[in-house]
Amino acid sequence: MRPDNLNPLFAEITTLPGVGPRLAKLFERLAGPRVIDLCWHLPSGLIDRRYRPSLAEAVPGRIATVKVRVMAHQAPHSPKGPWKVLCTDGTRDIDLVYFRANQDWLRKLLPDGAWCVVSGKLESYNDRLQMNRPDHVVPVDEAESLPAVESVYPLTTGLVARVVQKAVQAAVARAPALPEWHDASILKARKWPDWRSALEAAHHPETEADLLPEMPPRQRLAYDELLANQLALALIRLKQKRAAGRSQKGDGHLVEAALQALPFPLTASQRTAFAEIAADMAEPHRMLRLLQGDVGSGKTVVALLAMLTAVEAGQQAALMAPTEILARQHFNTIAPLATAAGIGIELLTGRDKGAARKRALERLADGRALLAIGTHALFQDDVLFRDLGLAVIDEQHRFGVHQRLQLAAKGKGVDVLVTTATPIPRTLVLTAYGDMEVSRLTEKPAGRQPVDTRTLPLERLSEVVGAVGRAIEQGAKVYWVCPLVEESEAVDLADAEARYGALTERFPGRVALVHGRMKGPEKDRAMKAFAEGPADILVATTVIEVGVDVPAATVMVIEQAERFGLAQLHQLRGRIGRGGGRSTCLLLYRPPLGETAHERLKILRESDDGFRIAEEDLRLRGAGDLLGTQQSGLPRFRLADLAEHADLLPMARDHARLILERDPDLQGDRGAALRTLLYLFERDAAVRYLRSG
Ligand code: ADP
Ligand code: MG
């Protein structure tokens, strides 16, 4: 349970003074729905009001706070002209300028003859000093109430600076003092204040330098966030280790047979990766390993060999894919090999029901089936294994940490292998998986030719259709991808259907359509028609993105390519160029193309290297977004900036490990403080892994 003292932070923002339901919506868009979200909304700038010159020495262009006496009010000369309040400080005059002003309000605010303190930007106009609608006007005896420095926050449409400032500061005021979770020595070495002071200080920068990520208060907050992340991951890992692993050693006979049956030799990378995995499985601890490799690098085969190793060791293995289509594809590849070797194999997807499902469940439970391929359906409660030894999770970025655990929980000491084509940099692997071992496939199978990639404006559609016609006459298979963007799913679908209609008219009987709204069997029929004939063209929304493998496909047309992300385009393009033949990818765009879109498409034309493309993508979109991409499954940080705080991440990892070595269940005072840290950053689930959580 979350400690009570944190509750005010997790209250809705409507509990803040002046934030009603209407503003709450805007704040939610800006930062989030709760008080704590505003606490994490740090200032991006500041306004320094400490410049207090006499008017004679005041420099136009600067923000200044000046003490002045009101001499006269001057009504506008023309209907659109400004109301002016003429003032002086005895050294020089200044005009306070108000467009569309309310007279009565102004006369009350700045009474004739009164001394006031005003603060705002100084300007010079026709040799006169002026201030356009000062930010602050107060009577002299209230001068103390003027902020010396004001924080400037990122805004969103509909929210003005003052409102955000007030709400954020009210939120920060709710922050309680919390017990210290860091060692005194680290606080001293890094000059970190306690948590509450750090939060306060981060929200009240005194100088521009205070806004830098390396300043102690900001650094501490970032470190707290990273530590919570690493501690949560370390707890999950510890829990997995506690459920003791076991050694799975194969004798190699199934692996050997599979290698014989494959129509190609393994690449050097595949051999190395498999050797690493087999060695890890043979160890008595639990394996938690990531198999990373660009699209088309051949991860499936490696995963299959690992699964066969588990079977050789007398255990079962399961492979979980993110989509039905993929699960079926894997099943279709693996089943013949398994059957030839006399190994029972079952397919389990959301679609399999009734008697067939019942039979599959029985065969997994009593061990007649040793391999299971499926989707999320694999971790439903009624799916039991006789003895699950290895769980492979394909294209992991679509699953969360907890789903991984759910599958691993179906056996004792299950080894886990996760495959991904996302070229996640090392640092991000750490944030997403903690200390996970990584095997990398660094090369593509021999004989692959780079895909010839071209960009064309949509006007040249008829040429493209002509070229597609010639290609299929020569036996090519063609993917034709239409974008599917959530906001307008219906419209996009209509696009795909219209394209399907038009192409069918031109090439009757040779076109299939597949999209996410179709029922499973319909999808299968379309995929099958494309993979095995009679369809030569597959019109698809992005459901084909992940992992589909039709080696005969050599042409891909992507419509409105400018609407896709770079990484996504790379993944899509990875569907072709798999066989030996020359492949072509045509990126159709709707002009005019913006500068960034232009650059992105250019990168794709020039490069076929997933890592380089990911890096460029990161550069073009800014660091935040790679993390932010919805599907990436990577954590999103509010306070830590992985580019700026890169050195803090390994430190947090080591620190987390040390903490759990000393106190694996977070007992005692320090332990309690660390639990508070986990709750503060909403790692509640991790706390549950503690024995006395
Ligand atoms: P991904 O890494 O994208 O999941 P796949 O495992 O789907 O890649 O493999 C892509 C294609 O390459 C498949 O058709 C597969 O049969 C083939 N392949 C895998 N390994 C090799 C190899 N060593 N030599 C030739 N082709 C291979
Ligand atoms: Mg794959």
Side-chain angles (χ1 to χ4, degrees):
M1 274 264 291
R2 180 194 297 145
D4 287 343
N5 57 347
L6 291 183
N7 286 342
L9 291 176
F10 286 90
E12 305 267 323
I13 36 180
T14 44
T15 60
L16 293 171
V19 182
R22 190 187 66 83
L23 282 182
K25 275 217 186 72
L26 298 173
F27 274 114
E28 191 168 337
R29 174 140 43 88
L30 182 67
R34 299 147 318 163
V35 172
I36 190 149
D37 296 314
L38 291 191
C39 289
W40 298 153
H41 191 63
L42 297 185
S44 54
L46 57 83
I47 301 173
D48 190 339
R49 302 198 183 279
R50 286 172 296 195
Y51 175 54
R52 290 169 161 270
S54 72
L55 290 179
E57 59 191 22
V59 180
R62 289 190 65 175
I63 301 273
T65 303
V66 289
K67 191 172 116 184
V68 295
R69 184 158 178 262
V70 179
M71 297 189 297
H73 281 246
Q74 191 181 80
H77 295 306
S78 62
K80 284 200 170 157
W83 185 275
K84 287 187 180 173
V85 186
L86 313 183
C87 302
T88 184
D89 73 345
T91 68
R92 194 179 170 188
D93 295 350
I94 186 169
D95 302 338
L96 309 183
V97 178
Y98 291 89
F99 285 87
R100 289 185 308 275
N102 175 325
Q103 233 198 94
D104 296 339
W105 174 77
L106 270 176
R107 284 190 187 279
K108 218 185 254 159
L109 183 71
L110 293 153
D112 277 323
W115 281 94
C116 299
V117 176
V118 301
S119 184
K121 187 165 180 191
L122 291 172
E123 283 159 25
S124 158
Y125 183 73
N126 286 345
D127 272 346
R128 286 184 68 83
L129 203 53
Q130 69 172 36
M131 195 180 278
N132 194 353
R133 196 171 272 272
D135 304 327
H136 297 275
V137 177
V138 294
V140 209
D141 52 353
E142 287 171 30
E144 289 298 295
S145 72
L146 272 185
V149 179
E150 268 177 274
S151 305
V152 175
Y153 290 95
L155 302 176
T156 183
T157 343
L159 280 178
V160 297
R162 193 76 71 87
V163 171
V164 173
Q165 213 177 61
K166 262 179 67 186
V168 171
Q169 292 184 354
V172 172
R174 295 265 174 99
L178 296 175
E180 185 55 69
W181 44 79
H182 292 306
D183 284 330
S185 60
I186 190 179
L187 297 181
K188 189 151 171 257
R190 294 254 171 186
K191 300 197 173 61
W192 286 346
D194 64 81
W195 178 76
R196 189 168 196 292
S197 308
L199 188 68
E200 286 269 351
H203 280 282
H204 293 107
E206 295 263 310
T207 65
E208 291 287 334
D210 290 338
L211 299 164
L212 298 175
E214 69 264 26
M215 292 310 271
R218 285 206 176 216
Q219 202 184 45
R220 168 175 179 145
L221 295 178
Y223 188 72
D224 287 343
E225 184 173 41
L226 292 172
L227 182 63
N229 162 265
Q230 290 297 301
L231 193 58
L233 290 166
L235 276 168
I236 290 170
R237 201 177 155 84
L238 187 69
K239 144 125 182 161
Q240 283 181 328
K241 280 206 178 133
R242 268 184 186 163
R246 53 192 171 160
S247 162
Q248 304 194 69
K249 260 191 216 131
D251 62 6
H253 77 280
L254 293 174
V255 167
E256 216 28 67
L259 290 177
Q260 291 299 323
L262 285 177
F264 46 74
L266 294 187
T267 64
S269 274
Q270 283 171 318
R271 277 200 307 271
T272 314
F274 174 60
E276 287 167 358
I277 293 165
D280 207 353
M281 288 173 70
E283 294 288 327
H285 62 231
R286 297 184 67 172
M287 176 172 79
L288 192 53
R289 184 174 282 272
L290 189 65
L291 174 60
Q292 208 176 35
D294 205 353
V295 273
S297 57
K299 297 181 289 294
T300 315
V301 177
V302 177
L304 171 65
L305 298 179
M307 293 170 78
L308 293 175
T309 304
V311 173
E312 286 172 10
Q315 289 160 21
Q316 291 167 297
L319 184 152
M320 181 164 77
T323 66
E324 175 106 32
I325 287 184
L326 259 186
R328 273 171 206 275
Q329 177 186 296
H330 286 320
F331 183 78
N332 292 338
T333 324
I334 295 174
L337 291 169
T339 314
I343 303 170
I345 179 168
E346 292 298 335
L347 175 69
L348 264 190
T349 70
R351 209 200 302 164
D352 306 296
K353 298 210 169 71
R357 179 165 194 275
K358 192 156 166 270
R359 203 180 56 241
L361 292 186
E362 279 169 14
R363 285 167 49 83
L364 288 172
D366 65 19
R368 270 177 293 163
L370 293 172
L371 296 176
I373 314 280
T375 56
H376 295 70
L378 278 175
F379 47 64
Q380 276 160 13
D381 285 339
D382 59 351
V383 181
L384 300 173
F385 291 86
R386 192 192 51 134
D387 189 8
L388 183 65
L390 173 71
V392 179
I393 297 163
D394 189 28
E395 310 290 356
Q396 133 76 25
H397 54 289
R398 307 256 164 134
F399 297 108
V401 173
H402 294 282
Q403 285 164 315
R404 279 193 336 243
L405 284 178
Q406 262 174 300
L407 187 57
K410 294 203 172 284
K412 282 208 164 47
V414 178
D415 284 334
V416 176
L417 179 68
V418 171
T419 75
T420 179
T422 313
I424 321 171
R426 182 78 225 178
T427 44
L428 295 191
V429 170
L430 204 55
T431 64
Y433 310 103
D435 245 345
M436 200 169 189
E437 268 68 55
V438 180
S439 291
R440 281 215 169 97
L441 299 182
T442 50
E443 65 196 322
K444 302 241 167 111
R448 295 274 169 84
Q449 295 184 34
V451 175
D452 179 13
T453 303
R454 299 185 206 173
T455 47
L456 300 161
L458 193 60
E459 295 115 58
R460 293 175 60 187
L461 183 69
S462 62
E463 275 172 62
V464 171
V465 173
V468 162
R470 286 192 298 280
I472 60 175
E473 281 324 312
Q474 285 164 17
K477 298 250 172 199
V478 179
Y479 288 109
W480 191 297
V481 181
C482 299
L484 190 63
V485 179
E486 259 161 56
E487 302 104 72
S488 52
E489 204 176 324
V491 179
D492 289 329
L493 208 51
D495 281 355
E497 274 165 350
R499 182 63 64 218
Y500 169 70
L503 288 170
T504 304
E505 209 159 283
R506 180 80 183 266
F507 309 112
R510 302 180 71 172
V511 191
L513 172 69
V514 65
H515 59 71
R517 291 264 189 94
M518 279 169 133
K519 292 250 179 325
E522 268 182 287
K523 276 191 214 168
D524 289 351
R525 264 199 302 281
M527 291 307 296
K528 195 162 174 212
F530 182 61
E532 296 165 19
D536 295 316
I537 303 175
L538 181 69
V539 177
T541 56
T542 42
V543 289
I544 63 160
E545 179 190 339
V546 181
V548 175
D549 186 32
V550 179
T554 50
V555 179
M556 175 166 291
V557 180
I558 303 180
E559 280 195 60
Q560 296 184 49
E562 75 278 7
R563 284 173 66 179
F564 290 90
L566 255 190
Q568 207 180 8
L569 288 171
H570 177 65
Q571 293 267 332
L572 280 168
R573 184 175 58 178
R575 302 302 118 222
I576 55 171
R578 298 194 151 209
R582 184 92 180 138
S583 293
T584 309
C585 178
L586 301 176
L587 303 172
L588 287 178
Y589 61 88
R590 209 171 261 172
L593 212 48
E595 197 177 318
T596 317
H598 187 266
E599 225 185 304
R600 283 168 42 199
L601 296 184
K602 179 159 161 267
I603 292 163
L604 272 178
R605 270 200 320 264
E606 288 170 356
S607 177
D608 191 29
D609 172 348
F611 273 91
R612 157 134 199 254
I613 289 173
E615 261 167 34
E616 295 285 340
D617 205 13
L618 196 62
R619 184 177 64 76
L620 288 175
R621 290 194 295 172
D625 213 44
L626 181 73
L627 301 175
T629 40
Q630 287 292 295
Q631 289 181 332
S632 70
L634 296 168
R636 187 199 281 265
F637 293 106
R638 305 286 302 265
L639 301 164
D641 175 334
L642 291 176
E644 301 287 354
H645 298 120
D647 61 316
L648 296 183
L649 189 60
M651 183 173 144
R653 175 201 55 199
D654 296 344
H655 191 176
R657 204 187 290 158
L658 199 69
I659 288 168
L660 294 183
E661 261 166 36
R662 281 197 222 139
D663 182 9
D665 286 301
L666 302 184
Q667 307 283 348
D669 289 349
R670 173 61 63 81
L674 286 160
R675 284 172 196 231
T676 302
L677 172 70
L678 288 169
Y679 281 112
L680 184 63
F681 287 99
E682 300 170 68
R683 300 303 201 278
D684 301 25
V687 183
R688 270 184 251 123
Y689 295 126
L690 296 169
R691 247 180 230 157
S692 49

